[in-house]
């Protein structure tokens, strides 16, 4: 197989030393690697290190044209099969989101048509800043993919999310993307997965929620990524880490989940709604703590939006997969949901069954299709359930394509 070309854009943070390791590991994995650096990146590590690791020239000055027959930043943008920005600082993320091109990295990124993967690394509070979040969200809409930072000790002394993902994991993602196309039925597919619980607030102290751990949805996200998809994960509050390489949108309430899902719906090929979304929320959200009184308390609830139903009503080309968490008459309710929500597949689990449903590492599901067929799966790990489900989705996509060909 031809060697694939990777342009690694290194911007200025303490994690630049990890970018040197990443360059070395990508080269060892048989990729052609060229490195481009910002001025601040060169404050941490010199270009010579990257030159030695990549066995290629290192680029940092837009006006230093090494070959008069070419314009370097355009040539490099065209050369790359994949561009990785690692570490990506808040500054470069902000410039890219706003179309600013004032150095070689940002100029090249604006000229690029290859996929762009961004691996942020910064202080935990910087990463949580609304401006950074907004810029990341904007870059998602441009089709850029994020390799989420991991949690741990940060150079600034804080513990939290902000560490550049480990070079080995980034190399695995690159290999999945560039060298395993035959095993990847979901290549070029955009998949949105919802996972975890929602929280519906009563007052600043209390909320209503459910037992969802996010394990089912996160397993689907990881498997979809492995099968080649570009994955967006809309997640309620959970304690498990998101798979590296997934675009994560954190939400709390059903309303926030609806906004996030609807914002991305049109561009998606597949939607999988494994989240346990609250059907009701308190009719009033008290801004101060409700003080206890003698006697019973009565609280009024109102319906939340039915996101799956809305998706079904607005469905165009997308494959829509819903879940059904039931405790009785599972098949009846699953088939009813298929019809009522205009879903293509319903994955039903009886959450009273030992080994099924919430929190555990296993599930027992039946996958129902619109044509009345069903696939009953035994007790399996959530990873295996995810794989079986995605292969059913792939089968459905292929059937649809064949159907269209016949028309
Ligand atoms: O997260 P885990 O601990 O791994 O647990 C996995 C799980 C039990 C949460 C998962 O397997 C599951 O069953 N998810 C669906 C839970 C659920 O809310 O089921 P439901 O039957 O109430 O809802 C039916 C469908 O409508 C679901 O796809 C749900 O995401 C969706 N829904 C529900 C309410 C609402 N307001 N909007 C929705 O879109």
């Amino acid at each position: 197989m031809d060697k694939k070309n990777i342009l690694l854009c290194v911007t200025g943070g303490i994690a630049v030393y990890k970018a040197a390791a990443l360059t070395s590991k990508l080269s060892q994995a048989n990729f052609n690697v060229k490195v481009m650096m910002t001025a601040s990146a060169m404050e941490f590590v010199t270009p010579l290190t990257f030159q030695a690791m990549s066995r290629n020239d290192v680029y940092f000055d837009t006006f230093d044209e090494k070959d008069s027959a070419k314009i370097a930043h355009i040539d490099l943008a065209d050369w790359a099969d994949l561009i990785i920005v690692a570490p990506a600082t808040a500054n470069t993320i902000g410039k890219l989101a706003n179309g600013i091109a004032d150095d070689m990295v940002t100029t090249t990124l604006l000229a690029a048509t290859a996929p762009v993967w961004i691996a942020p690394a910064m202080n935990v509070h910087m990463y949580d800043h609304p401006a950074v979040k907004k810029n990341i969200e904007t870059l998602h809409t441009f089709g850029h993919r994020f390799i989420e930072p991991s949690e741990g000790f940060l150079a600034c002394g804080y513990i939290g999310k902000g560490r550049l993902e480990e070079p080995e994991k980034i190399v695995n993602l690159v290999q999945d993307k560039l060298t395993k196309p035959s095993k990847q039925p979901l290549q070029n597919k955009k998949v949105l997965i919802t996972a975890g619980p929602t929280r519906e607030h009563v007052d600043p102290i209390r909320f209503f929620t459910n037992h969802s751990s996010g394990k089912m949805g996160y397993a689907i996200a990881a498997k979809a990524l492995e099968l080649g998809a570009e994955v967006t994960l809309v997640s309620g509050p959970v304690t498990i880490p998101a798979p590296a390489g997934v675009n994560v949108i954190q939400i709390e309430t059903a309303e926030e989940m609806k906004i996030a899902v609807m914002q991305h719906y049109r561009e998606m090929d597949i939607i999988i709604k494994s989240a346990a979304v609250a059907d009701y929320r308190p009719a009033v959200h008290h801004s101060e703590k409700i003080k206890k009184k003698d006697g019973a308390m009565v609280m009024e609830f109102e319906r939340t939006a039915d996101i799956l139903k809305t998706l079904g009503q607005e469905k165009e080309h997308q494959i829509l997969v819903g879940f059904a968490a039931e405790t009785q008459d599972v098949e009846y309710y699953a088939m009813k949901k298929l019809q009522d929500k205009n879903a293509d597949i319903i994955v039903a689990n009886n959450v009273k069954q030992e080994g099924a449903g919430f929190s555990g590492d296993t599930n027992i599901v039946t996958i129902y299709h619109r044509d009345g067929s069903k696939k009953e799966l035994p007790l399996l790990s959530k990873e295996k359930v995810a794989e079986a489900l995605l292969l059913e989705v792939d089968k459905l996509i292929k059937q649809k394509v064949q159907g269209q060909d016949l028309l």
Side-chain angles (χ1 to χ4, degrees):
M1 194 186 287
D2 284 347
K3 272 183 154 191
K4 298 284 184 183
N5 299 335
I6 295 176
L7 178 64
L8 177 62
C9 297
V10 182
T11 72
I14 187 67
V16 169
Y17 78 94
K18 279 171 128 178
L22 177 60
T23 308
S24 164
K25 289 188 188 306
L26 285 169
S27 301
Q28 286 170 39
N30 210 25
F31 294 107
N32 287 323
V33 186
K34 290 188 181 176
V35 177
M36 191 177 278
M37 301 178 80
T38 60
S40 5
M42 291 189 292
E43 296 285 332
F44 291 91
V45 176
T46 65
L48 186 61
T49 306
F50 288 95
Q51 184 184 308
M53 297 288 182
S54 66
R55 304 286 166 101
N56 272 313
D57 286 343
V58 174
Y59 301 81
F60 45 85
D61 183 351
T62 324
F63 304 103
D64 176 22
E65 297 289 8
K66 296 180 198 309
D67 177 350
S68 59
K70 290 174 182 163
I71 298 170
H73 66 279
I74 305 292
D75 189 53
L76 286 163
D78 291 345
W79 170 85
D81 294 304
L82 175 68
I83 302 180
I84 305 174
V85 189
T89 57
N91 180 48
T92 295
I93 288 171
K95 286 200 273 187
L96 201 52
N98 291 285
I100 296 169
D102 64 352
D103 59 18
M104 194 161 184
V105 165
T106 46
T107 310
T108 305
L109 286 166
L110 276 195
T113 53
V116 175
W117 291 6
I118 301 172
M122 63 193 78
N123 164 270
V124 60
H125 298 311
M126 288 172 81
Y127 190 64
D128 274 344
H129 193 283
V132 175
K133 283 186 164 171
K134 186 164 160 273
N135 288 332
I136 289 177
E137 187 56 21
T138 303
L139 291 173
H140 278 312
T141 66
F142 295 172
H144 294 342
R145 174 169 160 182
F146 276 79
I147 301 173
E148 288 262 308
S150 54
E151 293 200 22
F153 284 100
L154 303 177
C156 52
Y158 281 94
I159 297 173
K161 196 166 183 172
R163 284 163 63 95
L164 179 68
E165 185 52 280
E166 293 307 320
E168 293 77 7
K169 285 202 181 163
I170 299 179
V171 174
N172 286 343
L173 292 171
V174 174
Q175 283 174 319
D176 282 349
K177 165 90 184 164
L178 294 181
T179 61
K180 295 184 190 162
S182 56
K183 284 189 193 161
Q184 297 198 296
L186 297 184
Q187 186 124 43
N188 300 325
K189 294 280 178 271
K190 291 189 172 181
V191 184
L192 185 146
I193 295 151
T194 69
T198 61
R199 286 179 179 172
E200 308 302 328
H201 296 269
V202 179
D203 66 13
I205 314 271
R206 307 167 179 106
F207 53 80
F208 288 87
T209 189
N210 58 63
H211 295 294
S212 174
S213 62
K215 285 181 184 174
M216 189 65 253
Y218 278 49
I220 300 170
K223 189 52 76 176
L225 199 67
E226 202 182 305
L227 296 179
E230 191 181 306
V231 181
T232 300
L233 181 62
V234 178
S235 175
V238 297
T239 55
I240 54 175
V246 164
N247 300 330
V248 185
I249 303 174
Q250 307 278 3
I251 56 87
E252 269 202 67
T253 64
E255 188 55 27
E256 288 168 4
M257 179 173 281
K258 181 181 171 199
I259 292 168
V261 170
M262 296 318 292
Q263 204 172 357
H264 294 276
Y265 189 30
R266 302 270 163 257
E267 79 222 34
M268 292 295 152
D269 300 297
I270 302 161
I271 321 287
I272 304 181
K273 288 223 69 256
S274 66
V277 187
D279 290 315
Y280 294 91
R281 67 177 165 226
V284 179
H285 177 203
H286 296 264
S287 57
E288 304 297 338
K289 181 183 178 186
I290 302 172
K291 303 304 284 183
K292 62 178 173 288
K293 294 183 190 142
D294 289 341
M297 178 186 188
V298 175
M299 187 174 286
E300 194 183 336
F301 284 81
E302 62 185 14
R303 282 295 310 269
T304 56
D306 187 330
I307 308 167
L308 185 58
K309 191 167 183 177
T310 312
L311 294 171
Q313 284 161 350
E314 298 189 15
K315 190 161 73 171
E316 293 166 343
H317 58 282
Q318 299 90 345
I319 300 279
L320 184 56
V321 180
F323 268 65
E326 306 295 346
T327 57
Q328 57 183 338
D329 298 332
V330 176
E331 179 148 342
Y332 169 77
Y333 286 117
M335 292 309 291
K336 188 164 164 19
K337 277 180 179 142
L338 256 181
Q339 297 305 325
D340 292 352
K341 322 270 182 183
N342 193 25
D344 297 290
I345 287 177
I346 288 286
V347 184
N349 41 195
N350 181 342
V351 296
K352 274 171 112 179
Q353 221 176 335
E354 181 81 30
F358 294 109
S359 298
D361 293 329
T362 58
N363 208 351
I364 307 166
V365 307
T366 303
I367 300 172
Y368 293 92
H369 290 270
R370 284 188 81 78
D371 64 4
S373 64
K374 65 177 181 183
K375 189 174 188 126
E376 267 177 85
L377 299 178
L379 179 104
L380 293 172
S381 68
K382 284 184 173 166
E383 286 70 29
K384 286 284 175 205
V385 172
E387 184 171 17
L389 170 60
L390 289 166
L391 294 178
E392 286 294 300
V393 171
D394 177 47
K395 239 173 25 190
L396 197 57
I397 292 173
K398 290 195 171 110
Q399 281 168 9
K400 273 197 168 187
V401 171
Q402 276 168 2
Q404 279 165 8
D405 283 347
L406 292 174
L407 290 175

